[in-house]
Amino acid sequence: MSNEATLHSQQEVMHGAHDHHDHEHHHEDSFISKYVFSMDHKMIAKQFLITGIIWAIIGAFFSVLFRLQLGFPDATFPWLESILGHWAKGGRISPEAYYALVTMHGTILVFFVLTAGLSGTFSNLLIPLQIGARDMASPFMNCLSYWFFFLASLVMMTSLFVQTGPASGGWTMYPPLSALGDASIGSKIGVDLWLTSMALFVVSQLLGGLNYISTLLNMRTKGMAMTKMPLTIWSFFFTAVLGVLSFPVLLSGFILLLMDRHAGTSFYLSDIFIAGKALANEGGSAILYQHLFWFLGHPEVYIIILPAMGMVSEVLAVSSRKPIFGYLAMIGSLFAICILAFLVWAHHMFVTGLNPFLGAFFVLLTLLIAVPSAIKVFNWITTIWKGNIHFTPASLFSIGFVSTFISGGLTGIWLGNSSIDIHLHDTMFVIAHFHIVMGVSAFFGMFAGIYHWFPKLYGRFMNQTIGFIHFWVTMIGAYLIFWPMHYEGMAGMPRRYYDISGWSSFKQFGGLNEFISIVVILVFAVQLLFVFNFFYSIFKGRKMTTQNPWNATTLEWTTPIHAGHGNWPGEIPEVHRWAYDYSKDGRDFIPQTEPIGPNESAH
């Protein structure tokens, strides 16, 4: 009996057990086991998504608050005092509160929204559905993965309400600022809570990632060879591998930082004076922390963008009614990005006194990442080329993703060159670059995924008109916010500064900063419209009447509209062809489950 056949029979046995189990316990399916501590991957995906949306509102609102300070440094907003209390006395955000807001904005959006919210939602939802599995390899570990994320969220949320305020050392939490409680008010208990929260978060990511990898390698349905998997699944696979290999390094960096803070060690501290008094710490290096942080920090960028790339590939093929162009090249470029992601971390450290000879290697490897990224871009454009495009909010966000990925990625070529980076490092140019290529693009991928798979999650559709408004305002707004920042950065305007109006060289940007801040408020308002659309549609959206509303070929659209735990009521369907048979042999689409005819090629 072949391996595949054995696996298939094992799954059938499990399926039999499942049915029996479900039948016995159906009346005991309480609210708690169904909605709270659920083991169904679809429910866990919803939990990740809704938690992520709540965090996204908080993180984005923080950016609105600190943009008020940047755009209107001399104005007072009395209502701020009623929200922030003594952090905004007289209606002006205090410098300490400003740094705390910047720090929490970065932490929340990078980790809690674009890592947990994006991968947690879509890896959970789609891996079992698209490979033909009844659930994850370990549903219990999957449930734990969400609850560790929830605990991390609670701890991070708590830090917003402590007396001395949340951590304010920037989302990278560099020592010595973060290693010394006396360094600033934002270096006190807020940093301990931040580190504890992030440690719990890493556990959540590892539990999830190991689960995704094992499910995908061991539980594919009969006929689902790796080369027949949709690109979404490939991207989730590489994302999980990146996370499992790099998150532990970050955790070790955090543990050493906690020891420096509380156990009197000197991993990161040496020759430090506070208020003229020398500290006893000797022999440590703050640069060590940067190496440990960026060894995760750079793969983290790809942990965020790869799932978006996979979903965009899927949505573009479905909405162009064309096979994805260069399927194997797409997998190859995902793999190349995955390898290179681990070899470029020191490009964040060109100005730390890094040996220039070593820097040259990191420049070369950094610029090499442009190759697989370009392959993907050309393949997306060729997929849309001469396609019969159906414009939906999902397809617009996918096209928007390709646009922001190109324009944001191009500026990375400047920053990847160490000689230019010396001038541009820690300026608004860097902010502009990574917000467009990683922040906006990843959000566009996430929005595309939400609009496209919403019917699968809730059995209803989101409102399309609101979706179109959401897309156009966000797309135009994103460029109006981040494009001008490139010019500020080229003029040398530093990032993270509380007030730049005192510098004669940056005074000229006063009007521009005001303009950016106004656009930020408009774009934030439209995100609230999206959130309304999302929650309203869960209960009142147009009902899904057919199993396969987008006429897609992949397996998730073969399950019932409201699939129970186990996904398919009968046998798991068998797969015969790859995921992208669109506009083939005179037919609009051919599902993966349809056997290949005698005169047909497999691709």
Side-chain angles (χ1 to χ4, degrees):
M1 210 171 172
S2 76
N3 271 355
E4 262 187 19
T6 332
L7 185 65
H8 194 59
S9 60
Q10 280 173 354
Q11 283 200 343
E12 285 310 306
V13 172
M14 274 171 62
H15 159 214
H18 243 129
D19 278 5
H20 178 64
H21 178 82
D22 283 354
H23 186 70
E24 268 187 18
H25 291 284
H26 210 61
H27 57 280
E28 288 175 28
D29 218 9
S30 66
F31 181 83
I32 297 277
S33 67
K34 189 162 190 243
Y35 293 106
V36 185
F37 297 110
S38 173
M39 306 249 183
D40 183 353
H41 69 99
K42 298 184 291 299
M43 184 57 69
I44 294 171
K46 293 176 192 177
Q47 291 175 325
F48 268 110
L49 181 56
I50 288 171
T51 313
I53 285 177
I54 292 166
W55 269 124
I57 298 167
I58 297 170
F61 180 61
F62 286 175
S63 69
V64 171
L65 291 180
F66 66 70
R67 271 312 317 180
L68 283 177
Q69 166 59 32
L70 285 172
F72 310 94
D74 302 324
T76 53
F77 302 95
W79 56 271
L80 275 177
E81 193 165 1
S82 49
I83 303 180
L84 299 173
H86 71 280
W87 293 105
K89 278 208 174 72
R92 279 197 69 182
I93 293 176
S94 69
E96 292 80 13
Y98 174 83
Y99 289 117
L101 287 172
V102 171
T103 301
M104 298 315 285
H105 164 77
T107 306
I108 288 167
L109 290 177
V110 169
F111 294 112
F112 288 29
V113 181
L114 293 175
T115 304
L118 189 54
S119 291
T121 301
F122 292 103
S123 299
N124 263 314
L125 175 69
L126 295 175
I127 289 175
L129 284 172
Q130 288 194 335
I131 64 169
R134 297 223 173 264
D135 204 316
M136 284 291 174
S138 167
F140 176 63
M141 251 170 73
N142 205 18
C143 173
L144 271 184
S145 156
Y146 172 72
W147 284 102
F148 267 103
F149 169 49
F150 188 79
L151 273 176
S153 294
L154 281 184
V155 176
M156 192 64 81
M157 192 71 86
T158 310
S159 81
L160 299 175
F161 297 99
V162 294
Q163 181 73 41
T164 50
S168 65
W171 76 282
T172 52
M173 216 46 70
Y174 281 175
L177 192 57
S178 58
L180 301 167
D182 297 335
S184 80
I185 190 166
S187 303
K188 298 195 188 316
I189 181 112
V191 174
D192 295 319
L193 290 168
W194 191 94
L195 290 166
T196 310
S197 167
M198 288 304 300
L200 292 165
F201 179 82
V202 171
V203 174
S204 151
Q205 288 303 301
L206 293 177
L207 286 169
L210 290 168
N211 223 346
Y212 306 150
I213 295 168
S214 41
T215 305
L216 194 146
L217 293 178
N218 300 318
M219 295 178 67
R220 300 190 306 282
T221 183
K222 191 174 174 196
M224 176 64 84
M226 295 280 279
T227 47
K228 288 183 184 161
M229 301 192 310
L231 288 171
T232 32
I233 302 299
W234 275 106
S235 71
F236 298 147
F237 172 57
F238 286 126
T239 304
V241 170
L242 280 170
V244 166
L245 294 176
S246 62
F247 268 114
V249 179
L250 183 73
L251 185 58
S252 67
F254 287 164
I255 291 168
L256 299 186
L257 187 53
L258 274 169
M259 288 169 75
D260 270 11
R261 284 175 64 82
H262 300 296
T265 55
S266 302
F267 291 107
Y268 307 132
L269 299 172
S270 188
D271 307 327
I272 293 195
F273 292 78
I274 289 191
K277 203 166 94 253
L279 297 189
N281 305 74
E282 264 180 40
S285 164
I287 304 297
L288 167 64
Y289 176 85
Q290 293 195 25
H291 281 293
L292 294 173
F293 182 88
W294 288 115
F295 192 80
L296 161 100
H298 204 83
E300 169 66 19
V301 174
Y302 296 100
I303 289 169
I304 285 173
I305 206 77
L306 288 183
M309 288 175 162
M311 294 193 294
V312 161
S313 304
E314 178 73 17
V315 172
L316 285 178
V318 173
S319 50
S320 308
R321 313 309 299 158
K322 276 181 67 188
I324 194 82
F325 184 86
Y327 174 80
L328 288 172
M330 288 296 243
I331 296 171
S333 59
L334 283 171
F335 180 61
I337 287 174
C338 199
I339 301 289
L340 286 168
F342 281 107
L343 304 175
V344 297
W345 78 89
H347 71 204
H348 297 268
M349 300 169 59
F350 287 145
V351 295
T352 56
L354 185 76
N355 181 328
F357 182 69
L358 197 60
F361 284 98
F362 282 102
V363 170
L364 175 68
L365 291 162
T366 301
L367 298 182
L368 270 179
I369 278 204
V371 178
S373 301
I375 290 172
K376 303 196 81 59
V377 165
F378 290 129
N379 287 16
W380 287 320
I381 292 171
T382 322
T383 301
I384 310 170
W385 179 250
K386 293 194 172 172
N388 174 20
I389 303 182
H390 295 224
F391 288 110
T392 60
S395 66
L396 283 174
F397 272 112
S398 300
I399 296 166
F401 169 91
V402 179
S403 162
T404 55
F405 186 71
I406 296 169
S407 56
L410 285 173
T411 51
I413 297 172
W414 274 261
L415 293 169
N417 284 290
S418 51
S419 51
I420 304 175
D421 184 66
I422 289 168
H423 174 64
L424 293 174
H425 186 82
D426 258 345
T427 64
M428 295 304 277
F429 193 94
V430 178
I431 298 277
H433 159 70
F434 80 81
H435 274 83
I436 291 183
V437 76
M438 179 187 106
V440 177
S441 298
F443 265 111
F444 277 19
M446 191 171 182
F447 288 140
I450 291 171
Y451 283 109
H452 187 76
W453 280 287
F454 190 87
K456 193 74 251 151
L457 279 162
Y458 294 106
R460 292 173 185 268
F461 293 93
M462 285 176 73
N463 182 305
Q464 251 200 339
T465 315
I466 299 181
F468 289 138
I469 296 169
H470 177 217
F471 169 73
W472 285 110
V473 178
T474 308
M475 178 76 181
I476 296 164
Y479 274 125
L480 290 180
I481 291 165
F482 297 115
W483 205 252
M485 289 184 190
H486 290 97
Y487 301 104
E488 297 184 333
M490 282 190 267
M493 187 173 136
R495 65 194 277 198
R496 297 197 181 116
Y497 275 34
Y498 172 70
D499 182 0
I500 49 102
S501 59
W503 270 268
S504 51
S505 46
F506 307 135
K507 263 210 182 85
Q508 54 178 332
F509 292 121
L512 189 56
N513 274 335
E514 197 173 309
F515 169 76
I516 293 173
S517 295
I518 290 166
V519 180
V520 165
I521 293 165
L522 286 173
V523 171
F524 178 66
V526 167
Q527 306 319 309
L528 293 179
L529 188 66
F530 160 77
V531 172
F532 164 76
N533 189 4
F534 179 86
F535 286 109
Y536 181 81
S537 302
I538 292 177
F539 304 105
K540 293 278 197 280
R542 181 166 61 87
K543 280 193 172 150
M544 188 171 160
T545 48
T546 55
Q547 264 186 11
N548 188 355
W550 311 124
N551 291 339
T553 58
T554 40
L555 287 181
E556 76 269 31
W557 304 106
T558 61
T559 60
I561 292 176
H562 293 287
H565 193 172
N567 300 332
W568 288 270
E571 279 190 30
I572 298 178
E574 191 178 325
V575 168
H576 298 280
R577 53 180 76 232
W578 75 321
Y580 299 101
D581 272 343
Y582 291 103
S583 306
K584 185 178 175 186
D585 302 337
R587 291 172 61 185
D588 181 34
F589 74 106
I590 312 175
Q592 279 190 280
T593 48
E594 190 173 308
I596 290 172
N599 311 323
E600 222 187 320
S601 65
H603 266 219

